């Protein structure tokens, strides 16, 4: 079922009415529980969750020179939600332009290969990438997932 990973340039990721929550990867937060909480939060505010789950990952270097990983879960809602409480944030439009893009079909443990292919392609073509990437979990079929990966170019 695995398909070749094709890389495209100059793609745009555009999301509307996005609820965002940072996930503490050090504490081993349970993604399934967080997704359910986010969906219940959206519903409690009179909206409906729409579209697939999106994960944003970014890297930064702290003052000690250590690389820090930041992971955010994003969920689109049927309409903009006002009066958002912590730990959530809300964006009416999230638009990431000029991205390298890959569609991945395979087992979730191999998803990293698609990220690696984007990085290798960027390196081979002398393209500099930002330190953020977005993974859109489009579908799950048996043991395979379909995911779209967007990495903005500098």
């Amino acid at each position: 079922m695995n398909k070749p990973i094709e890389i495209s340039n100059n793609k745009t990721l555009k999301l509307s009415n996005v609820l965002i929550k940072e996930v503490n990867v050090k504490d081993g937060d349970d993604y399934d529980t967080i997704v359910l909480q986010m969906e219940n939060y959206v519903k409690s505010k009179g909206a409906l969750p729409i579209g697939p789950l999106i994960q944003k990952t970014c890297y930064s270097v702290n003052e000690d020179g250590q690389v820090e990983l930041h992971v955010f879960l994003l969920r689109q809602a049927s309409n903009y939600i006002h009066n958002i409480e912590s730990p959530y944030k809300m964006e009416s439009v999230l638009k990431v332009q000029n991205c390298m893009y890959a569609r991945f079909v395979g087992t979730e443990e191999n998803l990293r290969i698609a990220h690696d292919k984007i990085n290798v392609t960027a390196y081979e073509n002398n393209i500099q990438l930002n330190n953020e990437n977005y993974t859109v979990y489009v579908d799950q079929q048996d043991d395979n997932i379909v995911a779209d990966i967007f990495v903005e170019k500098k």
Side-chain angles (χ1 to χ4, degrees), residues 125-143:
N125 292 283
N126 200 27
I127 298 170
Q128 291 189 344
L129 301 174
N130 282 338
N131 65 343
E132 298 179 351
N133 67 70
Y134 295 83
T135 303
V136 181
Y137 292 92
V138 177
D139 195 14
Q140 182 164 358
Q141 305 160 353
D142 301 321
D143 292 335

Side-chain angles (χ1 to χ4, degrees), residues 31-93:
Y31 281 27
D32 292 336
T33 301
I34 293 170
V35 171
L36 184 60
Q37 290 170 343
M38 290 177 76
E39 290 179 353
N40 288 336
Y41 185 80
V42 167
K43 291 175 187 174
S44 74
K45 296 293 187 175
L48 294 173
I50 59 171
L53 178 68
I54 300 115
Q55 178 179 301
K56 174 186 173 183
T57 306
C58 59
Y59 304 90
S60 62
V61 178
N62 66 20
E63 58 275 355
D64 298 329
Q66 300 293 317
V67 175
E68 292 183 346
L69 173 68
H70 300 276
V71 177
F72 301 85
L73 292 181
L74 290 70
R75 193 74 172 130
Q76 293 183 95
S78 57
N79 51 285
Y80 186 82
I81 302 170
H82 299 276
N83 303 319
I84 295 292
E85 296 95 9
S86 183
Y88 300 112
K89 295 179 182 172
M90 191 79 186
E91 295 283 340
S92 59
V93 175

